[in-house]
Amino acid sequence: MSVTPDGTSDLTRRTLLRRAAAAGLLATPAAGLLTACVGGGDDEPTDQAEGEKSATNPLGVDGKAPLEIYIFNGGLGTKYATDVHVPSYKKSFPEAEVKFNQAEEMATVLQPRFTSNEPPDMVNNAGSKLMDQGALVQAGQVQDLTELFDAPSLDIAGKTVKDTLVPGTIEQGSFNGKPYVLNYAFTVFGLWYSDKLFQANGWTPPKTWADFTALLDKAKAAGKTGYAYAGANAAYYQYLVILTTAAKIGGPDVLKNIDNLEDGAWTAEPVKQAAQLWGEIGAKYMNKSHLGLRHTEVQLQQNQDQVVFYPSGSWLENEQAKDTPAGFNYAVMPVPSASSSDKLPQSAIFAAAGEMYFVAAKGKNPRGGMEYLRHMLSKEGAKGFTQLTKVLTVVQGATEGLTISPGLTSSEAMLQAAGADYFAYRWDTWYKKMDDECRAATNELMFTGGDADKFVTRMQKVADDVKKDPSIEKFKR
């Protein structure tokens, strides 16, 4: 799943900026990407770099071959690449030129290169204008990463790369059983708030829906917006929250059924109940002007104590570092329980490996691309990432010895409290058409007087359309 919205240079969220010209490229993968990208014969690469395999070079990298990478410039920034991962790769292969690039609209910049079979070697596919990952896999443009995960860890003796990872990491990036994507950042999602604001008002993070709305009433009486998200480019933050509530009500199979395009998955009662609850929050406690704002604009209002709760992933603290006043102290809590009959406890959370990185199967140096990911998945590579971004990785134990920030401390505590009760979905990266529609349906529900029936019916229709479309490859878990 994509982790954040636009890039920071234009005050947009993790450069997810989805919509605009590239939206057309992404919404119709079969007609656009697939017909252009599925190559054979002369389209197949014949000059890919390859070296001798050895104990120190298990993937057979050509140490002199150039490596081209593209990193999404969003909430995580790019310093983790330029200051940690690129130098690590160069230390092993000093004669290799690493061509570092960054972009905020990945599809706009890279879609033409994939279409013409001239892609970079490794891509961080994220942002609101990310490429359709499922379509890329279907088109044969993405390298199978089995060899990477079976290779020995760079710096954790006696273990393969896959042995060092948080359980579920490989599965999160798999398509019909084959691993094509490294979801590198282990992200926890919840409702973020200022611990300082709560302390000053004597507020306690609510666990029940009644306590949640009672606190929102207090915030409203104090002239604050109790709950907010940015409609312009971060609606997926809110549909994640709606589906989190649905999973708590009905159990994690609610999300699995949506992933698997099961008949009636969206119109199931837990999804409808969740949409009803959150639609009421939108109608009563949100600021309608936020429909036209971007994520960083709404997040700035929270830093100014105008907004109480904001739904987001654990990249938020790093993304707002420049605008967060001293002592604000980011904290995060799980989504409140809908009722005492929920199948999952209130401590249950949405947590998953996210922020997609993949190797181009038709690039000039796919072995170098996989090796670059091996450096990212080293203990030192993961530790450096967390130091610079305040976000966990999927490498177990990589935060040992680190002094961590208030927000990361809070998110780790929330993850520990959840125990085994965390869940995720994959449909948003498998079927971009559904993601686009859900953003629009969520904004309608939360900002413009939509209702739960309309939301679930609208989403069931697009899911049915995807299911019936023979040009779209179907994925299951």
Side-chain angles (χ1 to χ4, degrees):
M1 94 184 262
S2 99
V3 169
T4 136
D6 315 328
T8 53
S9 63
D10 60 350
L11 252 200
T12 60
R13 183 158 195 107
R14 289 168 164 202
T15 316
L16 304 171
L17 344 234
R18 277 148 161 175
R19 292 275 148 346
L25 288 169
L26 300 178
T28 56
L33 176 73
L34 297 183
T35 55
C37 286
V38 176
D42 292 340
D43 288 335
E44 297 302 317
T46 57
D47 59 346
Q48 292 183 326
E50 188 168 355
E52 291 291 325
K53 291 185 178 181
S54 67
T56 56
N57 186 12
L59 296 174
V61 176
D62 179 349
K64 296 182 180 180
L67 177 71
E68 185 182 10
I69 65 172
Y70 256 91
I71 301 295
F72 170 62
N73 184 19
L76 299 175
T78 61
K79 280 180 68 65
Y80 70 86
T82 59
D83 294 11
V84 179
H85 300 148
V86 171
S88 179
Y89 185 91
K90 287 282 290 180
K91 184 178 180 181
S92 292
F93 305 100
E95 295 183 70
E97 176 192 3
V98 179
K99 300 176 182 177
F100 168 82
N101 305 279
Q102 63 183 39
E104 294 180 358
E105 298 187 6
M106 303 305 288
T108 304
V109 175
L110 293 180
Q111 195 81 44
R113 294 188 57 181
F114 277 91
T115 301
S116 61
N117 287 328
E118 296 179 345
D121 300 304
M122 196 289 298
V123 177
N124 170 206
N125 188 27
S128 59
K129 285 184 180 172
L130 81 173
M131 293 178 288
D132 186 329
Q133 193 68 50
L136 286 167
V137 170
Q138 185 178 347
Q141 292 282 359
V142 185
Q143 179 77 20
D144 183 334
L145 299 179
T146 300
E147 195 173 351
L148 163 67
F149 293 127
D150 287 342
S153 165
L154 186 73
D155 60 1
I156 303 176
K159 291 190 176 183
T160 62
V161 171
K162 65 184 176 186
D163 291 336
T164 69
L165 305 180
V166 172
T169 298
I170 295 175
E171 290 76 9
Q172 190 70 18
S174 293
F175 292 72
N176 287 342
K178 285 190 176 183
Y180 288 104
V181 176
L182 167 63
N183 289 278
Y184 183 62
F186 192 80
T187 306
V188 298
F189 292 82
L191 305 186
W192 292 79
Y193 61 94
S194 164
D195 186 58
K196 179 182 180 182
L197 179 67
F198 270 53
Q199 299 270 7
N201 287 278
W203 294 341
T204 301
K207 294 185 177 182
T208 68
W209 206 262
D211 287 345
F212 182 46
T213 55
L215 197 154
L216 294 179
D217 284 331
K218 292 177 182 177
K220 190 173 183 179
K224 301 181 185 298
T225 299
Y227 187 84
Y229 76 91
N233 70 333
Y236 76 93
Y237 293 6
Q238 182 56 30
Y239 78 56
L240 185 151
V241 168
I242 294 169
L243 292 180
T244 294
T245 296
K248 288 191 174 187
I249 294 171
D253 279 354
V254 170
L255 304 185
K256 185 177 182 180
N257 291 339
I258 289 175
D259 281 349
N260 291 342
L261 301 176
E262 299 288 351
D263 292 342
W266 282 97
T267 52
E269 194 60 29
V271 183
K272 185 176 177 180
Q273 288 178 24
Q276 177 69 32
L277 288 170
W278 283 106
E280 291 169 359
I281 298 297
K284 189 172 182 180
Y285 300 109
M286 287 176 55
N287 183 335
K288 303 305 181 191
S289 71
H290 290 166
L291 175 61
L293 296 187
R294 292 173 117 52
H295 64 297
T296 46
E297 295 171 310
V298 178
Q299 289 162 197
L300 178 61
Q301 290 187 18
Q302 185 180 42
N303 294 149
Q304 297 167 342
D305 285 343
Q306 298 173 36
V307 166
V308 178
F309 288 113
Y310 183 81
S312 188
S314 45
W315 63 78
L316 177 64
E317 183 180 38
N318 184 66
E319 187 166 58
Q320 290 302 108
K322 293 180 181 178
D323 294 311
T324 306
F328 180 87
N329 288 356
Y330 268 112
V332 63
M333 62 171 237
V335 173
S337 294
S339 75
S340 58
S341 60
D342 284 1
K343 287 191 176 179
L344 290 178
Q346 188 270 336
S347 56
I349 60 172
F350 189 111
E355 198 75 5
M356 297 184 292
Y357 298 78
F358 73 92
V359 175
K362 298 183 180 182
K364 293 181 180 179
N365 190 7
R367 293 193 170 276
M370 287 193 290
E371 178 69 15
Y372 185 88
L373 297 183
R374 194 167 78 104
H375 284 254
M376 288 178 62
L377 291 170
S378 67
K379 191 168 185 178
E380 284 304 305
K383 182 177 180 180
F385 176 90
T386 297
Q387 285 177 310
L388 289 172
T389 66
K390 303 181 181 70
V391 172
L392 297 171
T393 70
V394 294
V395 180
Q396 299 184 70
T399 58
E400 292 173 3
L402 286 182
T403 300
I404 57 178
S405 61
L408 183 52
T409 300
S410 181
S411 60
E412 278 204 299
M414 186 173 71
L415 182 61
Q416 279 199 331
D421 292 318
Y422 66 87
F423 47 81
Y425 49 66
R426 303 184 207 170
W427 63 269
D428 59 328
T429 55
W430 286 351
Y431 309 114
K432 191 171 186 301
K433 182 177 181 180
M434 288 172 60
D435 170 54
D436 288 341
E437 186 71 2
C438 201
R439 289 166 182 260
T442 297
N443 279 345
E444 180 184 40
L445 173 70
M446 301 299 293
F447 285 111
T448 62
D451 59 43
D453 283 329
K454 186 179 290 187
F455 176 83
V456 299
T457 301
R458 184 174 179 177
M459 287 311 302
Q460 190 61 59
K461 182 181 184 305
V462 70
D464 291 342
D465 288 346
V466 168
K467 186 174 183 177
K468 294 172 186 174
D469 188 339
S471 70
I472 300 175
E473 185 175 359
K474 310 307 185 294
F475 304 107
K476 277 194 175 288
R477 70 174 175 101

